[in-house]
Amino acid sequence: MNKHILIVGGGYVGLYTALRLQRKLHRELRGGEARITIIDPQSYMTYQPFLPEAAAGNLSPRHMVAPLRRILPKVRILNGTVTKVDHAERVVTFQPAEGEPRQVAYDVIVMAAGSISRTLPIPGLTDIGIGFKTVGEAIALRNRVLHLLDVAESTVDPEVRRRALTFVVVGAGFAGVEALAELEDMAKDSTRYYRNITPADLRWVLVEATNRVLPEVGPEMGKWTLEQLRERGIEVKLDTRLESCEGGHVVLSDGTEFDAETLVWTAGVKPSPVVNDSDLPLDERGRIKTTAALTVAGTRDAFAAGDAAGVPDVTNPGQYCAPNAQHAVRQAKVLADNIIRHLRGEQLVDYRHKYVGSVAGLGLHQGVANVYGVKLRGFPAWFMHRTYHLSRVPTLNRKVRVVVDWTLALFFKRETISLGEMEHPRDGFRAAVATTRR
Ligand SMILES: Cc1cc2nc3c(=O)[nH]c(=O)nc-3n(C[C@H](O)[C@H](O)[C@H](O)COP(=O)(O)OP(=O)(O)OC[C@H]3O[C@@H](n4cnc5c(N)ncnc54)[C@H](O)[C@@H]3O)c2cc1C
């Protein structure tokens, strides 16, 4: 058959699809009858639910990513971006990390490029806002929060201090609530090492345009989460929008104004821009129009799943599957099997999964869960959150490393130093060059 299967994106859908194809097509791969390629800018899959824990310093960032080349030895990994998909010609334009773009031909394509932050044209947002979708963003935020504690302790200007100690998160879904709760917990914990900063000096503001937080765990547990956050002294502003944040001056729709050095934007996601540079059909929300069998509508040899795809939820007619890992992992399994069925001329099967609810971490020993109708809060939910994600993180190697990180955290105090210097590795050398006499 000698078919080339091209997977655009090596995240949840890309990795799990390739893993299953690598296992189920091992004979064809060995005999040269099939080839699999993944294209992704990164050489690893990011386990995004662990981003908040990595930001809080409970996990090493290296342990929450899965190295594609090691896990997928039978798959060719190309690092770079797909900038265009021409399905009529069965070819994509690939922009490698270095050098000229080139064309990569395929027989079957899997669109698994995920999503990016959905932003709004708010004055100042591009200058001071930061997202929370990548390892880089999570670790930069961690460094930033800790650095700002250093700034606050070292300044004599009360304005600078207040601004440094004010942190804003916009969007109260999974990513926003978990990021805020973990970072707040870490910052509060860190104040014990500072002489003139107490937990009461930190100001955390969560801004949400709707009237609820964490919809993923249902109304009852969402309400409980809201109360918990408020009890911790976090200002949660519901039915409120960010109007502007020029120069770090935050203006909210309820009339509140204040200065903040840090603004995290987690107000939703939109499909990766590559979907717009393709001849594949899109739905009304700009996602790839996908059938329940995970083929791209109107095609037989193009597949899509995950955050970039609008997959009909057959358990809830008229609705689409939500963009989350729970669906992405399960879709990847059906998608890989359907590719094999397609190659063998067999009938495809539909993707069917009823959303079972969610778990969320809210800081060390704190969590909330609503899974299969079982509602948990506090320590039991946090324990469930960790156990569930440990069972899900890919490879035994990563599971062991994660357990070691967590175990060490039981016995030793967490690291509370900012390594923001790593973001500017050449500054010291440049300064040295500047002092060298001719
Ligand atoms: C902080 C956070 C916490 C979360 N917690 C949970 C949780 O607890 N439970 C849950 O179910 N879900 C959770 N999610 C959501 C979940 O992580 C996503 O739904 C899931 O990652 C989607 O999988 P995907 O394969 O579609 O996209 P991704 O996993 O994002 O993978 C997309 C890949 O495509 C690559 N890519 C993008 N554009 C291109 C291009 N043009 N060319 C080549 N490659 C490209 C990207 O680099 C990336 O590697 C969380 C998300 C975040 C951000």
Side-chain angles (χ1 to χ4, degrees):
M1 82 185 141
N2 195 4
K3 297 284 186 190
H4 182 207
I5 303 162
L6 176 66
I7 303 176
V8 181
Y12 267 92
V13 172
L15 170 71
Y16 283 103
T17 301
L19 267 175
R20 201 166 173 89
L21 288 174
Q22 177 178 262
R23 185 159 56 80
K24 292 204 158 183
L25 289 179
H26 67 99
R27 228 176 301 118
E28 289 84 349
L29 289 168
R30 205 178 326 120
E33 294 142 42
R35 282 182 297 137
I36 307 170
T37 302
I38 290 184
I39 298 183
D40 196 297
Q42 315 299 346
S43 55
Y44 52 81
M45 173 263 195
T46 303
Y47 191 82
Q48 290 175 11
F50 275 155
L51 287 174
E53 288 229 36
N58 302 330
L59 272 185
S60 158
R62 278 187 195 82
H63 301 164
M64 55 157 295
V65 299
L68 297 178
R69 288 190 174 84
R70 193 193 305 166
I71 302 177
L72 298 167
K74 304 274 185 299
V75 175
R76 179 172 65 145
I77 312 292
L78 295 178
N79 291 122
T81 320
V82 170
T83 54
K84 189 169 175 223
V85 179
D86 186 350
H87 189 61
E89 297 296 325
R90 305 292 189 271
V91 75
V92 300
T93 307
F94 165 56
Q95 174 61 63
E98 296 276 338
E100 292 297 307
R102 65 174 195 266
Q103 310 248 293
V104 177
Y106 62 84
D107 298 293
V108 175
I109 191 166
V110 179
M111 293 298 288
S115 56
I116 59 170
S117 299
R118 177 163 44 85
T119 57
L120 295 169
I122 293 172
L125 185 60
T126 43
D127 300 327
I128 75 148
I130 178 166
F132 199 75
K133 285 235 7 121
T134 65
V135 182
E137 287 169 337
I139 301 308
L141 254 172
R142 167 184 171 70
N143 287 329
R144 185 176 182 81
V145 170
L146 293 169
H147 168 69
L148 288 169
L149 296 185
D150 298 345
V151 169
E153 170 121 305
S154 312
T155 184
V156 288
D157 183 334
E159 274 309 309
V160 171
R161 178 182 156 92
R162 201 169 311 126
R163 191 181 156 105
L165 295 181
T166 303
F167 307 93
V168 183
V169 176
V170 183
F174 260 142
V177 170
E178 287 195 293
L180 174 131
E182 292 284 357
L183 285 166
E184 188 265 351
D185 191 47
M186 174 196 72
K188 204 163 53 190
D189 199 26
S190 307
T191 56
R192 68 170 101 168
Y193 304 112
Y194 292 82
R195 283 166 181 248
N196 69 5
I197 305 176
T198 68
D201 295 322
L202 306 174
R203 183 178 185 193
W204 291 85
V205 185
L206 177 61
V207 181
E208 167 57 46
T210 70
N211 62 357
R212 44 98 192 98
V213 305
L214 216 56
E216 292 87 348
V217 293
E220 187 190 331
M221 300 316 280
K223 194 162 164 277
W224 179 82
T225 307
L226 176 63
E227 286 161 11
Q228 282 299 301
L229 296 176
R230 285 187 167 151
E231 263 174 39
R232 280 163 65 168
I234 296 163
E235 292 172 46
V236 186
K237 291 180 174 288
L238 301 180
D239 294 314
T240 307
R241 281 168 288 100
L242 174 70
E243 298 279 350
S244 71
C245 50
E246 280 172 301
H249 183 68
V250 175
V251 180
L252 303 180
S253 60
D254 66 355
T256 319
E257 295 191 26
F258 54 89
D259 287 342
E261 272 294 318
T262 310
L263 188 141
V264 189
W265 180 267
T266 54
V269 293
K270 64 179 180 188
S272 161
V274 66
V275 305
N276 300 317
D277 295 310
S278 78
D279 55 357
L280 299 171
L282 303 184
D283 68 12
E284 65 284 358
R285 289 195 221 164
R287 298 165 306 194
I288 297 172
K289 203 168 177 181
T290 310
T291 67
L294 304 172
T295 53
V296 176
T299 73
R300 295 183 60 245
D301 43 12
F303 293 78
D307 288 9
V311 179
D313 182 352
V314 296
T315 69
N316 202 355
Q319 301 297 313
Y320 290 100
C321 298
N324 60 43
Q326 194 179 123
H327 281 300
V329 173
R330 289 172 173 84
Q331 287 170 356
K333 193 168 156 225
V334 175
L335 195 160
D337 289 349
N338 274 349
I339 290 180
I340 296 170
R341 289 189 185 101
H342 164 71
L343 295 178
R344 295 179 180 157
E346 296 167 7
Q347 181 83 25
L348 308 192
V349 302
D350 283 354
Y351 169 71
R352 172 181 289 272
H353 170 68
K354 197 164 174 52
Y355 186 64
V356 299
S358 268
V359 284
L362 300 175
L364 208 55
H365 303 159
Q366 303 166 74
V368 59
N370 184 352
V371 182
Y372 292 113
V374 179
K375 294 168 185 146
L376 296 174
R377 53 195 81 181
F379 184 83
W382 173 81
F383 188 74
M384 184 187 205
H385 160 77
R386 281 204 161 177
T387 322
Y388 171 76
H389 285 300
L390 184 65
S391 72
R392 291 281 155 179
V393 72
T395 80
L396 180 64
N397 179 308
R398 259 43 196 171
K399 289 184 204 302
V400 172
R401 287 174 191 271
V402 166
V403 170
V404 169
D405 281 352
W406 284 343
T407 311
L408 286 174
L410 283 178
F411 296 104
F412 299 100
K413 295 200 172 82
R414 73 169 119 196
E415 292 297 340
T416 55
I417 36 131
S418 166
L419 285 180
E421 178 217 339
M422 286 169 72
E423 289 154 37
H424 314 280
R426 299 188 62 226
D427 284 3
F429 184 71
R430 279 207 199 100
V433 171
T435 60
T436 307
R437 282 214 212 121
R438 290 200 151 212

